């Protein structure tokens, strides 16, 4: 999800031999999936895709559909290949749009159409937000996904051919209320906190995602693991329903925030480690605020807490002499 200013390069421009170029073209897709967690490692992306298919064929298929459509849209509109497309930066919001909408709308041919149109809209919005945010040195993160998916889910009940009547599914705590933390909730919630970045609430699917992050780098995997635990414990201290914590609902925004603030956008140091932990706590705490607010209009929390909290924390970095932007 690294933000880069678009250059005037035309699609496909570059001195690559045709064979090598064909491989590079294909690698943009797994890279796009991996960029959901800020990684441009194609092996990480392939492991993420495996995790999605393990979670359910529909998540893998629609995640791929969203990634391909968003990437292709950016390519056809002339977004820089070198600076953005080849790194997967034009695909990750499409991935989340595909996975999120099939979760909320169900797998159908109408959902295929909605995902295609939404991924196109997400691609255009990604470029627009890059233009708006680059002067402030802020990345778009998953904001285009959040905007598009929120708009579609809120509008869906008005469209009889789109609505599947389960977008407002009750949280796990509806059938298992209580705030008492158990060992099962703790260890499963830790893995689910990683998996819920992709809307997955099965612990072994989250474990596969975590393996993909460790493939990208041991520190990357460790930061994701610690951030998930921090989000879970923050929710527990505040009295969140234990079943929701076990499902990873308070961990995934902390995972993304922790990754962003420690090594990706803020240089690694002891101070930035503490800063990332504070950000992870803030993202977990903001989850209920944003979730309750959007629930009123039929929306969902998505990754809004991560986006908003991390924008604030990154914007503040220039004021802190002991913190420095990465790169």
């Amino acid at each position: 999800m690294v933000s880069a200013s678009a250059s005037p390069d035309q699609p496909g421009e570059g001195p690559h031999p045709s064979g090598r170029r064909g491989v590079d073209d294909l690698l943009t897709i797994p890279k796009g999936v991996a960029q959901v967690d800020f990684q441009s490692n194609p092996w990480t992306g392939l492991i993420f895709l495996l995790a999605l298919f393990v979670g359910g064929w529909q998540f893998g298929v629609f995640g791929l559909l969203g990634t391909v459509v968003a990437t292709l849209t950016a390519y056809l509109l002339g977004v820089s290949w070198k600076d953005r497309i080849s790194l997967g930066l034009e695909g990750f919001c499409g991935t989340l749009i595909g996975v999120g909408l099939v979760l909320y709308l169900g797998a159908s041919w109408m959902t295929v159409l909605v995902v295609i149109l939404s991924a196109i809209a997400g691609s255009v919005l990604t470029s627009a937000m890059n233009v708006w945010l680059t002067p402030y040195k802020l990345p778009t993160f998953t904001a285009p996904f959040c905007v598009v998916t929120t708009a579609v889910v809120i509008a869906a009940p008005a469209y009889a051919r789109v609505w599947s009547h389960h977008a407002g599914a009750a949280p796990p705590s509806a059938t298992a209320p209580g705030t008492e933390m158990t060992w099962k909730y703790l260890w499963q919630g830790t893995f689910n906190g990683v998996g819920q970045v992709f809307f997955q609430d099965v612990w072994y699917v989250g474990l596969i995602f975590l393996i993909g992050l460790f493939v990208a780098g041991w520190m990357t995997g460790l930061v994701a693991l610690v951030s998930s635990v921090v989000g879970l414990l923050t929710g527990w201290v505040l009295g969140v329903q234990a079943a929701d914590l076990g499902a990873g609902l308070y961990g995934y925004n902390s995972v993304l925030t922790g990754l962003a603030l420690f090594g990706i956008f803020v240089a690694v140091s002891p101070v930035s480690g503490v800063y990332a932990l504070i950000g992870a706590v803030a993202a977990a705490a903001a989850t209920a605020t944003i979730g309750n607010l959007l629930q009123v209009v039929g929306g969902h929390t998505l990754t809004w807490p991560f986006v908003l909290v991390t924008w604030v924390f990154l914007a503040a970095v220039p004021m802190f002499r002991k913190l420095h932007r990465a790169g």
Side-chain angles (χ1 to χ4, degrees):
M1 299 182 200
V2 180
S3 178
S5 300
S7 73
D9 299 354
Q10 292 303 309
E13 199 170 80
H16 303 288
S18 59
R20 176 62 183 172
R21 183 53 191 273
V23 174
D24 289 342
D25 289 349
L26 290 175
L27 290 179
T28 60
I29 302 307
K31 285 182 179 180
V33 179
Q35 283 286 3
V36 172
D37 279 327
F38 308 105
Q39 309 306 310
S40 62
N41 186 319
W43 291 109
T44 295
L46 289 172
I47 293 172
F48 284 2
L49 279 172
L50 171 64
L52 285 174
F53 276 102
V54 171
W57 68 267
Q58 67 272 28
F59 297 121
V61 169
F62 280 83
L64 269 175
L65 176 64
T67 309
V68 171
V69 171
T71 303
L72 185 60
T73 300
Y75 174 85
L76 293 175
L77 292 177
V79 173
S80 170
W81 176 272
K82 178 181 177 182
D83 295 335
R84 294 195 57 82
I85 296 177
S86 67
L87 301 176
L89 295 174
E90 294 297 324
F92 67 91
C93 279
T95 306
L96 291 177
I97 286 171
V99 176
L101 291 183
V102 75
L103 172 67
Y104 296 132
L105 303 180
S108 69
W109 288 111
M110 183 56 68
T111 303
V112 170
L113 177 61
V114 172
V115 168
I116 290 173
L117 295 176
S118 298
I120 292 171
S123 179
V124 174
L125 184 56
T126 295
S127 292
M129 294 191 74
N130 265 301
V131 173
W132 299 334
L133 294 173
T134 296
Y136 302 100
K137 298 182 179 179
L138 293 176
T140 63
F141 294 136
T142 54
F145 147 70
C146 289
V147 171
V148 171
T149 303
T150 298
V152 171
V153 171
I154 290 175
Y159 305 130
R161 293 188 177 89
V162 173
W163 184 238
S164 65
H165 304 287
H166 68 273
S173 57
T175 55
T179 58
E180 182 180 354
M181 179 56 64
T182 66
W183 171 244
K184 180 179 178 181
Y185 284 146
L186 180 60
W187 72 265
Q188 289 192 359
T190 297
F191 293 131
N192 284 334
V194 180
Q196 282 284 8
V197 172
F198 289 83
F199 301 94
Q200 303 303 303
D201 62 354
V202 179
W203 71 267
Y204 54 81
V205 176
L207 176 58
I208 298 173
F209 280 114
L210 186 60
I211 291 171
L213 288 170
F214 273 106
V215 167
W218 69 267
M219 183 176 290
T220 300
L222 184 61
V223 170
L225 183 63
V226 171
S227 298
S228 182
V229 173
V230 168
L232 186 152
L233 293 179
T234 299
W236 175 70
V237 169
L238 293 174
V240 171
Q241 296 287 297
D244 295 341
L245 296 174
L249 298 180
Y250 281 75
Y252 69 97
N253 280 292
S254 295
V255 169
L256 291 172
T257 303
L259 287 169
L261 295 178
F262 190 71
I264 303 296
F265 296 101
V266 181
V268 173
S269 71
V271 176
S272 68
V274 175
Y275 197 62
L277 285 176
I278 296 171
V281 170
T287 295
T289 301
I290 295 172
N292 289 341
L293 180 65
L294 290 174
Q295 187 178 27
V296 175
V297 294
H300 296 274
T301 308
L302 305 178
T303 55
W304 280 116
F306 148 66
V307 170
L308 299 176
V309 167
T310 309
W311 273 345
V312 170
F313 274 62
L314 278 183
V317 166
M319 294 294 292
F320 302 136
R321 290 184 293 108
K322 294 185 177 181
L323 291 174
H324 304 281
R325 292 291 294 265

